[in-house]
Amino acid sequence: MNLALEQLNLDNSYARLGEPFGSRLSPTPFAAPTRLVSFNPAVAQLLDLDPSQAQRPEMIRYLSGQSPWPGSDPVAMCYSGHQFGHYVPQLGDGRAILLTEVRNQRGEKWDLQLKGSGLTPYSRQGDGRAVLRSTIREYLCSEAMHGLGIPTTRALCILASDEEVYRESIESGAMLLRVAPSHIRFGSFEIHYYREQHDALRTLADYVITQHYPQFADHPQQYHALLREVVVRTARLIAQWQAVGFAHGVMNTDNMSILGLTLDYGPFGFMQSFEPGYICNHSDHTGRYAFDQQPSIGLWNLSCLAQALTPLVSVDEAKQCLADYEPVFVSHYYELMRRKLGFNTLDESAVTLINDFLALLQQDACDYTLTFRAMSQFNSSAQADNTSLRDRFISRLEFDRWAERYSARLRQENSNDADRALAMNAVNPKYILRNHLAQIAIDKASKHKDYNEIDRLLTLLQRPFDDQPEFDNYAAEPPDWAQHIEVSCSS
Ligand code: AMP
Ligand code: MG
């Protein structure tokens, strides 16, 4: 289907829930002229939207709030959440508005959420705006995560203006049109629990089940089933983050999706030199959200959700659900790591080989992505020397000892090197969104209004596992200047 904007099948199911769940209001358009920076045709397709609509001035007018979008019922969503371990009773969309929902021909529902859309009742001290820099990072990273097969929100487009936005320095304002089946968070439930609005809590849980988990609608213990499913999805999501080396940076409960999506990209980072304690967020002084803390923080956040649902599920049921987290996480993580090293089966000796390989990467500060990608070239015949792989390590003797065990294991599995190389290249990405790649696109866009690099990265990262020889330099280790890029919460 290739529809015009006016022909999209709009729904406003969340807005219809009414008052306790948000505040109806329209976006505040930029005072300065607004232009389209980048448009993602792959997301247009999800909405049945004809990509040529991007050329129409009406698109910018509707999506940036300059003209009311006929049939939409915009609403800022209300939520609370635990930030860095502390409960904050009132958060909410402080700079975003759910414009409307689109139901496509396949029956899927997609939220269209405009981020950077001006002040809302939940803006607190903020200005309601987002800067072009952070908008580009979120736009590219969400598409990169999708390309990696990791559940995530996505984005249709970036709109920008010359309106000044004040952060550490003056930056230009931008808006991101975010697209996801839902933007409901753990914090969307917490707010009603702490306000003792148990009817609202039930209404929201029923809404989430009807819209997103219809398989539980007739379940005798539907809220228990819902919580268990969120536990499982979150465990699997974080296993995927760990396997690909993604650090979210701000895993507050208001940034945790009820659908198990990666949500709210801020100071995220992809692991480069392997360092389990990697902290991507420059403002996270205690390392609460360090890379290796993410699995346990996932559980901590789920326990906040479980507590918020205790008016609907018994404490015993909540505990049972939480008890599923660790086994689901561990088994999914090692399953992903099994594939990354190309083993046919997972047993204790494979797990030891995986852990010992990670220890080697850490000890020698090897690039996580590039080393795993290179491992597809491993020759498992008894006398092979694997020199080019060996040269990636400082402790070559330790690599040799590990490689001997790895090689023996592969031969024992009757592993075929060519087949294994193909399978490994399908799970070990060649391209990730390194900070310096995003930074180059940001600099070109902010200094010269040159947006080509954004589109180039978008296309590249949609196929991170494919060799794209024209982009070989995008798969290189970061240049020296990249060490000085600091990513904070400011966005
Ligand atoms: P975050 O850390 O980006 O997830 O944001 C936490 C909370 O602060 C959310 O409720 C946001 O809507 C709000 N917020 C962040 N930046 C701004 C801003 N510039 N203006 C208003 N609210 C903001
Ligand atoms: Mg957030």
Side-chain angles (χ1 to χ4, degrees), residues 79 83 91-92 94-95 123-124 126-129 167 255 264:
Y79 50 83
Q83 297 194 314
L91 293 163
R95 52 161 166 178
S123 299
R124 298 181 297 160
D127 57 8
R129 292 302 187 196
R167 296 292 180 262
N255 293 337
D264 277 9

